[in-house]
Amino acid sequence: MPRPVAEIYDTLTLAAQQEAYDFMMYLLQKQQNLSEAMQKEARKQKRMAALSEFAGSMKETWKGVDPLEYQKNLREERTIG
């Protein structure tokens, strides 16, 4: 603890010192939770980027192909009866 803060801390009553300690522990936990949340969000973004890249891997397959024309050709090719 910096010296001015430690001097003020030493002048407090035992109950006030305990309260100050509890508050510092709360701030520490809050900082750790924020860090964990940021890491989790970064991991989530990395996974989403990988999925997005994979999902778009076949997007050029049907480029220039008319779906109705393709369906019509499939129906003409099969033999009935």
Side-chain angles (χ1 to χ4, degrees):
M1 236 185 280
R3 186 170 274 318
V5 175
E7 289 173 3
I8 294 171
Y9 181 80
D10 290 337
T11 63
L12 297 175
T13 64
L14 188 58
Q17 286 178 352
Q18 183 61 40
E19 191 173 339
Y21 177 77
D22 289 343
F23 182 67
M24 287 188 292
M25 294 307 292
Y26 163 76
L27 291 176
L28 180 64
Q29 287 176 347
K30 184 178 173 182
Q31 183 179 7
Q32 289 172 343
N33 290 342
L34 181 61
S35 175
E36 290 173 4
M38 290 175 66
Q39 289 175 352
K40 187 176 179 180
E41 184 63 29
R43 193 169 40 242
K44 181 180 173 182
Q45 291 297 329
K46 189 175 180 181
R47 287 179 178 174
M48 289 300 290
L51 281 173
S52 178
E53 184 178 319
F54 179 71
S57 64
M58 299 290 289
K59 65 183 174 188
E60 299 295 324
T61 303
W62 295 98
K63 189 173 186 177
V65 176
D66 180 25
L68 294 177
E69 190 64 34
Y70 178 78
Q71 184 181 25
K72 180 181 170 188
N73 289 338
L74 283 178
R75 288 181 178 162
E76 287 176 356
E77 291 175 3
R78 72 176 184 201
T79 54
I80 300 175

